[in-house]
Amino acid sequence: MPAVIIVGTQWGDEGKGKIVDYCSKDADFVIRYQGGTNAGHTIVLGEKVFKLRLVPSGVFYGCRVLIGSGVVIDPEVLLKEINDLTSNGVDVNLVVSGKAHVILPYHPILDGSWDKVRGKGKIGTTKRGIGPTYTDKVARRGIRVYDLVNNTYKERVRLNVKLVNRILQHVLQVDHRLDVKEILKQCSRWGVDLQSYVGNVSEIINRALEEKQNVLFEGAQATFLDIDHGTYPFVTSSNPIAGGACVGAGVGPTRIDKVLGVCKAYTTRVGEGPFPTELDDDVGFHLRDIGREFGTVTGRPRRCGWLDLNMIRYARMVNGLTSLALTKLDVLNGLERLMICVGYRWRGSNITSLSIHDMESCEPIYVELEGWETIFNGDEICSEAKAYIAKIEEETGLPIDYISTGPKRVDTICRRSVW
Ligand code: IMP
């Protein structure tokens, strides 16, 4: 009856939603621990496609779903998501941490404006207000869900709006003034609408663990977008790595049993920043096209490239990964030759670690493998795909527990369950 963390091992969009959904069928509790509406999980259920940004994917299996204090919540998005799910007949058994911080209308405006002034050094954020909300949190002027439901936000919101208006006018030179009365009205409505969902998430999870229930910690974004351990400054503002699950859910590290890393069969990245195995050729276009590599939240085309196992080794280290889920293997169908990056050439030496900060100047060292037309040969995985899978296991030292060969739930091979 373990506690399992699911994390992204690359730059996000590895297909975590599908793996969380798959593992949720045997979970009792599923908790989101960081990030916010910058995440987008697509779940395909029969003919219906659901795009979740905040509610954990476990909701479709009737699990108790929780949003931890490490998440930043846009109440408008959350309430709409709950409403959409309920009107589609999905039972939403949700508890939101009162300690989670709230994205207010000025956060997305600041997010977009700050990224614009960065000019060439822009991060390419999702403009959902993630960075500014976490900034307010650590600057101790943020508004929490507790504040909304207890009506303890007014003075702080007034002060924040005054400050933001000054920043917009004098620093960012943006022609936008915030109406404090309008924001206070929204906060008051959100407080009422969220009231029935608020609870002590940390206590609920710790009790569940005491009672030996199956608890899944659902990460958003991924290792290389981690504020501490990612490709800073081209990162998000939270800690998607496994350690972030303990902080954002309020559980001790000794309670965690397994960390499953989700690894896409190739690499993608949205936004700016280094990307050693990026492909700017027909293969890159093929991956984007067949893999439908366009952002769930922003619709931006994702940058695509070969699988980089040096990154996965690093992800293994900083997350303490115990196994992998390999996703989107079918997207490689039809490619004659496949390259896998197994190390880097950096300043004249070959390296197989990432204890350097300038990933920008790393040149990938590839091994070449034979491609395949379709993954399956009857019921069996073809020998070429088997060789690709074996290479990943050999280079990372991690067993692959799950293999995803298509977008549907049935397109999943479970070699060993995490439960
Ligand atoms: P932010 O999280 O909106 O501040 O964006 C910071 C960086 O993280 C940008 O490069 C985004 O494209 C990237 N990012 C944020 N969330 C996701 C995600 O869920 N998948 C992939 N990239 C993301």
Side-chain angles (χ1 to χ4, degrees):
M1 296 288 176
V4 179
I5 301 175
I6 295 190
V7 291
T9 56
Q10 295 151 319
W11 279 294
D13 309 314
E14 296 93 350
K16 291 182 294 296
K18 185 188 157 177
I19 299 299
V20 171
D21 172 71
Y22 191 87
C23 295
S24 292
K25 72 178 191 295
D26 298 311
D28 301 300
F29 291 76
V30 183
I31 174 165
R32 253 296 285 280
Y33 58 85
Q34 48 66 235
T37 40
N38 47 351
H41 287 170
T42 309
I43 312 286
V44 183
L45 285 186
E47 295 309 305
K48 280 191 184 157
V49 178
F50 290 90
K51 292 196 172 183
L52 297 181
R53 301 227 235 130
L54 283 165
V55 176
S57 330
V59 71
F60 297 111
Y61 280 111
C63 302
R64 188 127 194 234
V65 288
L66 304 112
I67 297 180
S69 63
V71 177
V72 288
I73 293 172
D74 184 330
E76 205 62 37
V77 174
L78 178 60
L79 291 164
K80 182 173 180 309
E81 217 164 87
I82 295 171
N83 196 32
D84 286 351
L85 287 165
T86 331
S87 56
N88 272 292
V90 181
D91 194 13
V92 181
N93 190 356
L94 171 74
V95 182
V96 178
S97 169
K99 296 182 206 163
H101 279 247
V102 178
I103 301 180
L104 287 163
Y106 45 83
H107 291 123
I109 300 169
L110 286 171
D111 195 1
S113 311
W114 276 120
D115 216 24
K116 212 164 164 191
V117 298
R118 285 187 188 108
K120 272 195 184 160
K122 77 171 178 173
I123 291 161
T125 73
T126 59
K127 300 188 175 57
R128 294 301 187 272
I130 307 301
T133 308
Y134 281 112
T135 303
D136 279 0
K137 172 178 174 172
V138 295
R140 291 156 295 177
R141 54 172 181 253
I143 308 296
R144 306 200 294 177
V145 172
Y146 272 144
D147 293 315
L148 294 184
V149 299
N150 294 331
N151 251 312
T152 51
Y153 55 84
K154 289 189 183 128
E155 227 170 279
R156 222 169 323 140
V157 168
R158 280 198 193 97
L159 182 64
N160 286 350
V161 169
K162 208 189 270 182
L163 274 172
V164 172
N165 272 336
R166 275 191 214 159
I167 292 169
L168 290 177
Q169 188 179 0
H170 300 294
V171 181
L172 298 167
Q173 283 151 11
V174 174
D175 194 19
H176 192 122
R177 294 301 158 267
L178 295 154
D179 180 352
V180 72
K181 276 200 198 133
E182 194 49 44
I183 296 175
L184 289 172
K185 230 195 287 173
Q186 276 174 308
C187 288
S188 151
R189 181 167 55 81
W190 290 335
V192 174
D193 292 350
L194 285 175
Q195 185 101 45
S196 59
Y197 296 101
V198 180
N200 190 325
V201 166
S202 167
E203 209 171 295
I204 295 170
I205 286 294
N206 279 287
R207 199 176 321 125
L209 291 169
E210 286 295 324
E211 289 166 3
K212 310 256 178 277
Q213 309 255 19
N214 282 357
V215 180
L216 200 60
F217 297 79
E218 171 178 351
Q221 290 82 48
T223 304
F224 285 82
L225 289 173
D226 187 275
I227 184 83
D228 286 271
H229 301 283
T231 45
Y232 191 91
F234 304 104
V235 291
T236 192
S237 300
S238 63
N239 287 112
I241 61 163
C246 294
V247 178
V251 302
T254 50
R255 313 307 307 250
I256 306 299
D257 299 286
K258 291 182 181 169
V259 184
L260 175 68
V262 184
C263 167
K264 189 150 61 180
Y266 49 98
T267 314
T268 61
R269 165 159 220 178
V270 219
E272 310 303 315
F275 183 170
T277 62
E278 184 167 13
L279 291 168
D280 197 14
D281 60 8
D282 285 352
V283 177
F285 291 129
H286 173 96
L287 296 174
R288 181 183 298 160
D289 196 30
I290 308 294
R292 294 173 304 280
E293 295 296 351
F294 296 88
T296 321
V297 177
T298 58
R300 288 181 290 177
R302 297 178 185 142
R303 300 156 63 191
C304 298
W306 294 120
L307 178 60
D308 184 340
L309 292 182
N310 220 24
M311 287 175 63
I312 312 304
R313 274 187 217 118
Y314 179 82
R316 175 190 173 164
M317 177 180 78
V318 294
N319 290 293
L321 297 180
T322 48
S323 64
L324 289 174
L326 182 66
T327 59
K328 295 186 103 165
L329 191 60
D330 53 310
V331 176
L332 300 181
N333 287 356
L335 292 172
E336 225 167 278
R337 315 289 309 160
L338 300 170
M339 309 291 250
I340 297 185
C341 168
V342 291
Y344 297 137
R345 185 98 191 130
W346 180 70
R347 294 192 187 167
S349 336
N350 291 356
I351 55 166
T352 50
S353 79
L354 260 176
S355 352
I356 40 163
H357 357 270
D358 60 339
M359 205 178 184
E360 204 75 70
S361 51
C362 289
E363 258 182 67
I365 300 169
Y366 288 115
V367 291
E368 193 176 317
L369 277 81
E370 249 183 85
W372 56 83
E373 221 23 72
T374 50
I375 297 176
F376 292 102
N377 209 340
D379 281 347
E380 275 260 318
I381 295 183
C382 67
S383 58
E384 293 83 1
K386 272 188 188 156
Y388 195 81
I389 293 163
K391 187 73 187 160
I392 299 171
E393 294 188 313
E394 176 199 322
E395 291 286 336
T396 60
L398 288 166
I400 296 179
D401 284 348
Y402 300 91
I403 302 166
S404 169
T405 57
K408 300 204 174 115
R409 271 181 183 168
V410 290
D411 304 324
T412 316
I413 300 166
C414 173
R415 296 162 114 193
R416 190 182 63 152
S417 169
V418 284
W419 300 117

